[in-house]
Amino acid sequence: MRLDDRYVPYLQMAGLYHLARLNDRWFRLDEPLVSAFVERWRPETHTFHMSFGECTITLQDVAYQLGLPVDGRYVSGFLTDFHVYIDGGRPAWQWFHELLGVLPLANQIQKFAVNCTWFQETFGECPEGADEETLFADKSGNRIHIRWLPFVARLEEMGSYNWGSAALAWLYRCMCRVANRHVVKLAGPLQLLQSWIFWRFPGFRPAGYDAFSWPLASSEKGPRVQMARLKIDLLQARDFIWMPYSTPDVLQVVHPEVLEPRHTMLWWCVTSLIYFAVVEWHQVDRVLPQFGGVQPPPHPALNIDFLMSQEASERLCP
Protein backbone atom coordinates (compact mmCIF):
# COMPACT_ATOMS: atom_id res chain seq x y z
CA MET A 1 0.00 0.00 0.00
CA ARG A 2 1.42 3.36 -1.07
CA LEU A 3 2.38 5.72 1.74
CA ASP A 4 0.41 8.90 1.13
CA ASP A 5 1.93 12.06 2.62
CA ARG A 6 -1.42 12.83 4.24
CA TYR A 7 -1.04 9.79 6.48
CA VAL A 8 2.35 10.84 7.83
CA PRO A 9 1.22 12.99 10.80
CA TYR A 10 -0.97 10.19 12.09
CA LEU A 11 1.71 7.54 11.63
CA GLN A 12 4.16 9.74 13.52
CA MET A 13 1.59 10.17 16.28
CA ALA A 14 1.19 6.39 16.46
CA GLY A 15 4.96 5.75 16.56
CA LEU A 16 4.78 3.69 13.36
CA TYR A 17 6.08 6.16 10.76
CA HIS A 18 9.54 4.61 10.37
CA LEU A 19 7.99 1.18 9.83
CA ALA A 20 5.51 2.57 7.31
CA ARG A 21 8.36 4.12 5.31
CA LEU A 22 9.51 0.57 4.55
CA ASN A 23 6.18 -0.17 2.89
CA ASP A 24 7.45 0.34 -0.67
CA ARG A 25 10.99 -0.85 0.07
CA TRP A 26 10.41 -4.28 1.62
CA PHE A 27 12.79 -6.88 0.24
CA ARG A 28 11.39 -10.07 -1.22
CA LEU A 29 11.28 -12.71 1.49
CA ASP A 30 13.66 -15.61 0.86
CA GLU A 31 11.72 -18.40 2.54
CA PRO A 32 14.40 -21.10 2.03
CA LEU A 33 17.02 -18.96 3.75
CA VAL A 34 14.70 -18.05 6.61
CA SER A 35 13.59 -21.68 7.00
CA ALA A 36 17.18 -22.86 7.28
CA PHE A 37 17.83 -20.42 10.11
CA VAL A 38 14.61 -21.31 11.94
CA GLU A 39 15.86 -24.91 12.03
CA ARG A 40 18.61 -23.60 14.35
CA TRP A 41 16.12 -21.88 16.68
CA ARG A 42 15.82 -23.27 20.21
CA PRO A 43 12.55 -22.38 22.00
CA GLU A 44 13.98 -23.01 25.46
CA THR A 45 16.63 -20.29 25.06
CA HIS A 46 15.14 -18.08 22.32
CA THR A 47 18.49 -18.21 20.54
CA PHE A 48 19.95 -19.68 17.35
CA HIS A 49 22.43 -22.43 18.21
CA MET A 50 25.39 -22.17 15.85
CA SER A 51 28.69 -24.01 15.69
CA PHE A 52 30.39 -20.97 17.26
CA GLY A 53 27.81 -20.43 20.02
CA GLU A 54 24.46 -18.73 20.51
CA CYS A 55 23.07 -15.58 18.89
CA THR A 56 19.62 -14.06 18.65
CA ILE A 57 17.41 -11.15 17.59
CA THR A 58 17.12 -8.57 20.37
CA LEU A 59 15.22 -5.37 21.05
CA GLN A 60 18.29 -3.52 19.77
CA ASP A 61 17.87 -5.23 16.38
CA VAL A 62 14.17 -4.33 16.30
CA ALA A 63 14.97 -0.68 17.00
CA TYR A 64 17.61 -0.46 14.26
CA GLN A 65 15.91 -2.63 11.65
CA LEU A 66 12.30 -1.45 11.94
CA GLY A 67 12.57 1.86 13.80
CA LEU A 68 9.93 0.75 16.31
CA PRO A 69 9.87 2.03 19.91
CA VAL A 70 11.04 -0.54 22.47
CA ASP A 71 9.75 1.16 25.58
CA GLY A 72 6.27 2.14 26.73
CA ARG A 73 3.09 0.29 27.60
CA TYR A 74 2.66 -3.36 26.67
CA VAL A 75 0.47 -4.09 23.64
CA SER A 76 -2.20 -6.12 25.35
CA GLY A 77 -5.84 -6.07 26.35
CA PHE A 78 -8.74 -7.97 27.86
CA LEU A 79 -10.65 -9.87 25.17
CA THR A 80 -13.17 -11.87 27.17
CA ASP A 81 -16.70 -10.65 26.36
CA PHE A 82 -15.15 -8.32 23.79
CA HIS A 83 -18.54 -7.19 22.51
CA VAL A 84 -19.23 -5.40 25.80
CA TYR A 85 -15.62 -4.47 26.58
CA ILE A 86 -15.33 -1.86 23.85
CA ASP A 87 -16.18 1.80 24.18
CA GLY A 88 -19.66 2.39 25.57
CA GLY A 89 -20.56 -1.29 25.54
CA ARG A 90 -21.52 -1.14 21.86
CA PRO A 91 -21.40 -4.31 19.72
CA ALA A 92 -17.94 -4.72 18.23
CA TRP A 93 -19.05 -4.57 14.62
CA GLN A 94 -21.09 -1.43 15.24
CA TRP A 95 -17.96 0.25 16.58
CA PHE A 96 -16.01 -1.07 13.59
CA HIS A 97 -18.51 0.62 11.26
CA GLU A 98 -18.37 3.90 13.18
CA LEU A 99 -14.56 4.00 13.06
CA LEU A 100 -14.01 2.89 9.46
CA GLY A 101 -17.25 3.96 7.82
CA VAL A 102 -17.86 0.61 6.12
CA LEU A 103 -18.36 -3.06 7.04
CA PRO A 104 -16.77 -6.03 5.23
CA LEU A 105 -18.95 -8.70 3.64
CA ALA A 106 -19.49 -11.90 5.59
CA ASN A 107 -17.08 -13.85 3.37
CA GLN A 108 -14.29 -11.45 4.40
CA ILE A 109 -14.74 -12.19 8.12
CA GLN A 110 -13.42 -15.16 10.08
CA LYS A 111 -14.81 -15.00 13.62
CA PHE A 112 -13.43 -11.67 14.91
CA ALA A 113 -10.80 -11.22 12.17
CA VAL A 114 -11.07 -9.45 8.80
CA ASN A 115 -9.09 -10.52 5.74
CA CYS A 116 -6.25 -8.16 4.92
CA THR A 117 -7.19 -8.18 1.24
CA TRP A 118 -10.43 -6.39 2.14
CA PHE A 119 -8.50 -3.59 3.86
CA GLN A 120 -6.15 -3.26 0.88
CA GLU A 121 -8.99 -3.15 -1.64
CA THR A 122 -11.05 -0.74 0.45
CA PHE A 123 -8.35 1.62 1.76
CA GLY A 124 -5.41 0.96 -0.59
CA GLU A 125 -5.53 4.46 -2.09
CA CYS A 126 -6.18 7.68 -0.22
CA PRO A 127 -8.95 9.52 -2.12
CA GLU A 128 -8.46 13.02 -3.43
CA GLY A 129 -9.72 15.65 -1.03
CA ALA A 130 -9.86 13.17 1.86
CA ASP A 131 -10.73 14.81 5.16
CA GLU A 132 -9.39 13.89 8.60
CA GLU A 133 -12.21 11.40 9.17
CA THR A 134 -11.28 9.50 6.00
CA LEU A 135 -7.57 9.49 6.83
CA PHE A 136 -8.19 7.85 10.17
CA ALA A 137 -9.78 4.89 8.38
CA ASP A 138 -6.58 3.50 6.81
CA LYS A 139 -5.53 0.22 8.43
CA SER A 140 -3.56 -2.76 7.03
CA GLY A 141 -1.99 -6.31 7.91
CA ASN A 142 -3.08 -11.25 6.53
CA ARG A 143 -6.12 -11.04 8.78
CA ILE A 144 -6.70 -8.23 11.23
CA HIS A 145 -8.43 -8.91 14.55
CA ILE A 146 -10.95 -6.37 15.79
CA ARG A 147 -9.16 -6.32 19.14
CA TRP A 148 -7.21 -3.49 17.48
CA LEU A 149 -10.27 -1.24 17.53
CA PRO A 150 -9.47 0.30 20.95
CA PHE A 151 -5.99 1.25 19.67
CA VAL A 152 -7.38 2.74 16.44
CA ALA A 153 -9.97 4.72 18.36
CA ARG A 154 -7.23 6.27 20.52
CA LEU A 155 -4.69 6.95 17.81
CA GLU A 156 -3.11 9.76 19.82
CA GLU A 157 -2.12 7.18 22.47
CA MET A 158 -0.64 4.58 20.10
CA GLY A 159 2.81 6.17 20.28
CA SER A 160 2.97 5.31 23.98
CA TYR A 161 2.98 1.55 23.33
CA ASN A 162 5.95 -0.80 23.07
CA TRP A 163 5.51 -1.92 19.46
CA GLY A 164 9.06 -3.26 19.25
CA SER A 165 8.50 -5.67 22.11
CA ALA A 166 5.22 -6.83 20.54
CA ALA A 167 6.87 -7.48 17.17
CA LEU A 168 9.73 -9.44 18.75
CA ALA A 169 7.39 -11.44 20.99
CA TRP A 170 5.33 -12.47 17.99
CA LEU A 171 8.42 -13.42 15.96
CA TYR A 172 9.74 -15.51 18.86
CA ARG A 173 6.37 -17.24 19.25
CA CYS A 174 6.08 -18.03 15.53
CA MET A 175 9.58 -19.52 15.41
CA CYS A 176 8.87 -21.54 18.56
CA ARG A 177 5.72 -22.95 16.96
CA VAL A 178 7.69 -24.14 13.95
CA ALA A 179 10.36 -25.69 16.19
CA ASN A 180 7.99 -27.33 18.67
CA ARG A 181 5.05 -28.42 16.54
CA HIS A 182 6.66 -29.03 13.17
CA VAL A 183 4.48 -26.33 11.62
CA VAL A 184 5.28 -26.12 7.91
CA LYS A 185 4.09 -22.58 7.16
CA LEU A 186 6.26 -19.81 8.56
CA ALA A 187 4.51 -16.72 9.92
CA GLY A 188 5.26 -13.53 11.82
CA PRO A 189 7.46 -10.52 10.99
CA LEU A 190 9.88 -12.58 8.90
CA GLN A 191 11.30 -9.51 7.13
CA LEU A 192 12.82 -8.63 10.51
CA LEU A 193 14.43 -12.07 10.71
CA GLN A 194 15.82 -11.89 7.18
CA SER A 195 17.16 -8.38 7.63
CA TRP A 196 18.84 -9.52 10.87
CA ILE A 197 20.47 -12.38 8.94
CA PHE A 198 21.81 -9.98 6.32
CA TRP A 199 23.24 -7.61 8.93
CA ARG A 200 24.75 -10.24 11.20
CA PHE A 201 25.93 -12.70 8.51
CA PRO A 202 27.41 -10.74 5.58
CA GLY A 203 27.98 -13.98 3.68
CA PHE A 204 24.25 -14.25 3.07
CA ARG A 205 23.78 -10.70 1.81
CA PRO A 206 22.59 -10.28 -1.79
CA ALA A 207 24.53 -8.12 -4.22
CA GLY A 208 24.15 -4.40 -3.68
CA TYR A 209 23.11 -4.70 -0.05
CA ASP A 210 25.91 -2.41 1.17
CA ALA A 211 23.81 0.65 0.28
CA PHE A 212 21.32 1.32 3.08
CA SER A 213 19.11 3.96 4.65
CA TRP A 214 16.84 4.36 7.66
CA PRO A 215 15.26 2.08 8.86
CA LEU A 216 17.92 -0.48 8.05
CA ALA A 217 15.67 -3.30 6.78
CA SER A 218 15.74 -3.51 2.96
CA SER A 219 17.04 -5.72 0.08
CA GLU A 220 15.97 -8.89 -1.72
CA LYS A 221 16.80 -12.42 -3.01
CA GLY A 222 18.80 -15.32 -1.46
CA PRO A 223 19.95 -18.98 -1.81
CA ARG A 224 17.93 -22.20 -1.60
CA VAL A 225 17.35 -24.24 1.57
CA GLN A 226 20.05 -26.85 0.97
CA MET A 227 22.66 -24.24 0.14
CA ALA A 228 21.68 -22.19 3.17
CA ARG A 229 21.91 -25.22 5.47
CA LEU A 230 25.39 -26.03 4.19
CA LYS A 231 26.59 -22.46 4.66
CA ILE A 232 25.13 -22.35 8.18
CA ASP A 233 26.87 -25.62 9.08
CA LEU A 234 30.21 -24.13 8.02
CA LEU A 235 29.81 -20.82 9.85
CA GLN A 236 32.51 -19.72 12.26
CA ALA A 237 32.66 -16.88 14.77
CA ARG A 238 34.39 -14.61 12.25
CA ASP A 239 31.39 -14.96 9.92
CA PHE A 240 29.05 -13.31 12.43
CA ILE A 241 29.08 -9.55 13.05
CA TRP A 242 28.56 -9.17 16.78
CA MET A 243 28.10 -5.39 16.73
CA PRO A 244 26.98 -4.31 13.24
CA TYR A 245 25.38 -1.02 14.27
CA SER A 246 28.46 0.72 15.70
CA THR A 247 30.00 1.82 12.39
CA PRO A 248 29.91 5.53 11.43
CA ASP A 249 28.00 4.72 8.23
CA VAL A 250 25.15 3.28 10.28
CA LEU A 251 25.17 5.92 12.99
CA GLN A 252 24.82 8.75 10.48
CA VAL A 253 21.51 7.40 9.13
CA VAL A 254 19.97 6.23 12.42
CA HIS A 255 17.14 8.35 13.75
CA PRO A 256 18.39 10.12 16.95
CA GLU A 257 15.36 9.03 18.98
CA VAL A 258 16.44 5.38 18.70
CA LEU A 259 19.65 6.19 20.58
CA GLU A 260 17.99 7.93 23.52
CA PRO A 261 18.88 6.26 26.87
CA ARG A 262 15.24 5.42 27.62
CA HIS A 263 15.36 3.12 24.58
CA THR A 264 18.94 1.84 24.66
CA MET A 265 18.78 0.80 28.33
CA LEU A 266 16.14 -1.79 27.39
CA TRP A 267 18.21 -3.42 24.67
CA TRP A 268 20.20 -5.55 27.14
CA CYS A 269 17.41 -6.15 29.68
CA VAL A 270 16.40 -9.72 30.44
CA THR A 271 12.66 -9.15 30.43
CA SER A 272 9.33 -10.40 29.16
CA LEU A 273 8.06 -9.51 25.69
CA ILE A 274 4.27 -9.18 25.63
CA TYR A 275 1.85 -9.13 22.72
CA PHE A 276 -1.68 -9.76 23.96
CA ALA A 277 -1.70 -13.42 25.14
CA VAL A 278 1.82 -14.02 23.79
CA VAL A 279 4.54 -13.81 26.46
CA GLU A 280 8.12 -14.60 25.46
CA TRP A 281 11.47 -14.06 27.18
CA HIS A 282 14.18 -11.66 26.01
CA GLN A 283 17.24 -13.71 27.02
CA VAL A 284 20.04 -11.35 26.07
CA ASP A 285 22.16 -12.70 28.92
CA ARG A 286 22.95 -15.61 26.58
CA VAL A 287 24.33 -13.34 23.81
CA LEU A 288 26.37 -10.72 25.68
CA PRO A 289 29.01 -10.42 22.88
CA GLN A 290 26.28 -8.80 20.76
CA PHE A 291 26.53 -5.88 23.20
CA GLY A 292 30.30 -5.87 23.58
CA GLY A 293 30.33 -8.14 26.64
CA VAL A 294 32.04 -11.41 27.50
CA GLN A 295 29.88 -14.52 27.59
CA PRO A 296 30.19 -16.60 30.80
CA PRO A 297 29.64 -20.38 30.75
CA PRO A 298 26.07 -21.29 29.68
CA HIS A 299 23.44 -21.65 32.37
CA PRO A 300 20.10 -23.50 32.41
CA ALA A 301 17.49 -21.83 30.24
CA LEU A 302 14.54 -20.04 31.81
CA ASN A 303 11.38 -21.93 30.84
CA ILE A 304 8.67 -19.28 30.91
CA ASP A 305 5.96 -21.79 29.92
CA PHE A 306 6.86 -23.89 32.98
CA LEU A 307 6.72 -20.82 35.24
CA MET A 308 3.33 -19.84 33.88
CA SER A 309 1.98 -23.38 34.35
CA GLN A 310 3.29 -23.40 37.93
CA GLU A 311 1.57 -20.08 38.62
CA ALA A 312 -1.69 -21.46 37.21
CA SER A 313 -1.39 -24.56 39.39
CA GLU A 314 -0.82 -22.47 42.51
CA ARG A 315 -3.98 -20.49 41.75
CA LEU A 316 -5.99 -23.70 41.44
CA CYS A 317 -4.43 -25.30 44.54
CA PRO A 318 -3.75 -22.55 47.11
Side-chain angles (χ1 to χ4, degrees), residues 136-154:
F136 270 100
D138 187 288
K139 317 293 175 293
S140 64
N142 194 354
R143 288 196 306 270
I144 302 175
H145 200 285
I146 62 173
R147 64 189 175 194
W148 292 106
L149 288 181
F151 295 91
V152 175
R154 300 188 296 269

Side-chain angles (χ1 to χ4, degrees), residues 37-43 46-49 56 172 175-176 179:
F37 267 85
V38 172
E39 290 176 358
R40 295 293 186 126
W41 181 256
R42 294 298 177 267
H46 288 158
T47 58
F48 297 98
H49 284 215
T56 195
Y172 279 7
M175 291 194 292
C176 288

Side-chain angles (χ1 to χ4, degrees), residues 106-134:
N107 62 359
Q108 296 292 328
I109 301 173
Q110 299 185 35
K111 293 185 178 180
F112 279 96
V114 181
N115 291 337
C116 177
T117 53
W118 178 84
F119 282 94
Q120 293 173 329
E121 292 169 0
T122 307
F123 304 111
E125 291 291 333
C126 185
E128 291 294 331
D131 56 18
E132 187 167 293
E133 182 177 350
T134 305

Side-chain angles (χ1 to χ4, degrees), residues 21 30 46 85 156 170 227 244 301 310:
R21 289 182 61 223
D30 184 349
H46 288 158
Y85 163 71
E156 70 280 358
W170 185 234
M227 294 175 60
Q310 288 294 103

Side-chain angles (χ1 to χ4, degrees), residues 149-297:
L149 288 181
F151 295 91
V152 175
R154 300 188 296 269
L155 190 65
E156 70 280 358
E157 298 180 12
M158 285 185 68
S160 65
Y161 286 91
N162 190 337
W163 299 109
S165 176
L168 190 56
W170 185 234
L171 177 60
Y172 279 7
R173 176 59 57 91
C174 291
M175 291 194 292
C176 288
R177 283 176 175 172
V178 173
N180 283 332
R181 305 178 188 177
H182 304 289
V183 176
V184 176
K185 183 65 177 177
L186 291 171
L190 299 178
Q191 291 91 347
L192 169 60
L193 171 57
Q194 180 163 282
S195 184
W196 177 85
I197 294 171
F198 290 163
W199 275 87
R200 298 286 184 173
F201 296 92
F204 289 100
R205 290 181 183 177
Y209 191 79
D210 292 336
F212 51 84
S213 59
W214 176 255
L216 300 182
S218 65
S219 193
E220 51 183 84
K221 302 181 182 177
R224 310 314 301 164
V225 170
Q226 293 80 1
M227 294 175 60
R229 287 173 179 164
L230 178 59
K231 291 185 70 173
I232 292 173
D233 289 340
L234 298 177
L235 288 173
Q236 299 182 36
R238 66 172 180 267
D239 299 316
F240 182 76
I241 300 180
W242 294 98
M243 301 179 67
Y245 310 126
S246 59
T247 65
D249 290 340
V250 171
L251 294 176
Q252 70 180 2
V253 301
V254 171
H255 195 279
E257 185 179 0
V258 172
L259 302 177
E260 292 180 3
R262 64 190 177 97
H263 295 296
T264 59
M265 66 182 295
L266 297 173
W267 293 350
W268 46 78
C269 285
V270 177
T271 184
S272 56
L273 305 169
I274 298 177
Y275 170 63
F276 287 101
V278 174
V279 181
E280 299 291 349
W281 209 246
H282 190 235
Q283 301 191 69
V284 293
D285 56 327
R286 305 187 69 90
V287 292
L288 295 180
Q290 290 184 206
F291 299 92
V294 177
Q295 189 66 44

